[in-house]
Amino acid sequence: MTGQPELSNRVFTVPNILSFGRLLLVPVFLVLLMQGRDAAALTVLVISSLTDFLDGYIARRFNQMSRLGQLLDPAADRLYIFAAIIGLAFRELVPWWLVAVIVGRDLLLLVLGIVLANYGYGPLPVHLLGKVATFALFLGMPLIMLGLAVPALAPFSQPVAWAITLWGAFLYWWAGAIYLIETLRVIRPVQAK
């Protein structure tokens, strides 16, 4: 016994349905954000975050973890991060270089995933630093939006939001470097044969 929970091949589980719902809300979130409807966009983001927590809890509690769920959950997370950063950059509320930093790191992970697949490996396990970086971005972006939705809070939320977002972007790349090193470590013995 490895201590890892058994993953099913089931598609229609409650956690997967919640994840599909999160994915369907991404374009709604992006449109609201680009239209400057910040309170509505923030509401969609909060609902999405709650369903993210709920799908993970249900999957673990009721043993409904699936391979599809392992793909949908991080995909939804990435799409919300992309939608938030692109929507805010479109409105010139965050610099485009921040978009490049965040999207560039995920492009690196995509390339690493292709390299690993070419060597017969699946994706690397998620590193704790990657989870912390994602959490920081998920906290920083909504705080930026909170200042937009409730201008009275902006003097307090914006400095905290920017500190967390920039720290999250730094950690995002630090985790990316760890994934790069791990990929090289995994494929190096195969190349030596």
Side-chain angles (χ1 to χ4, degrees):
M1 183 165 209
T2 62
Q4 294 291 330
E6 185 91 16
L7 293 176
S8 79
N9 289 320
R10 290 177 54 203
V11 172
F12 294 105
T13 64
V14 173
N16 287 352
I17 291 168
L18 289 171
S19 291
F20 281 125
R22 284 177 65 214
L23 286 169
L24 290 174
L25 285 175
V26 171
V28 174
F29 168 72
L30 180 58
V31 167
L32 291 170
L33 186 58
M34 292 176 84
Q35 290 176 345
R37 297 172 58 195
D38 299 314
L42 191 56
T43 301
V44 170
L45 190 59
V46 168
I47 290 168
S48 173
S49 297
L50 291 174
T51 60
D52 183 27
F53 168 77
L54 194 58
D55 77 44
Y57 173 78
I58 291 170
R60 288 184 295 277
R61 176 75 172 90
F62 298 102
N63 197 25
Q64 293 189 8
M65 290 179 276
S66 67
R67 287 175 176 74
L68 180 61
Q70 280 191 324
L71 296 173
L72 289 178
D73 195 53
D77 290 346
R78 295 287 176 271
L79 288 174
Y80 272 99
I81 289 172
F82 289 165
I85 195 79
I86 289 169
L88 292 170
F90 175 80
R91 291 174 55 198
E92 298 182 359
L93 299 169
V94 300
W96 281 101
W97 64 259
L98 187 58
V99 177
V101 164
I102 291 172
V103 172
R105 185 272 198 172
D106 279 333
L107 288 175
L108 170 68
L109 290 190
L110 178 64
V111 169
L112 295 179
I114 292 169
V115 168
L116 285 167
N118 284 336
Y119 280 90
Y121 293 99
L124 293 170
V126 176
H127 193 277
L128 177 61
L129 191 59
K131 288 182 179 185
V132 171
T134 301
F135 175 77
L137 291 172
F138 265 131
L139 182 58
M141 300 280 179
L143 284 174
I144 291 171
M145 293 170 57
L146 179 63
L148 298 170
V150 185
L153 295 177
F156 307 103
S157 68
Q158 295 302 305
V160 172
W162 278 102
I164 292 170
T165 299
L166 293 175
W167 182 243
F170 171 75
L171 293 178
Y172 214 52
W173 268 97
W174 189 355
I178 290 172
Y179 292 129
L180 174 62
I181 292 166
E182 283 301 304
T183 298
L184 294 173
R185 186 186 62 76
V186 167
I187 67 171
R188 189 164 285 138
V190 176
Q191 289 177 328
K193 290 181 182 179

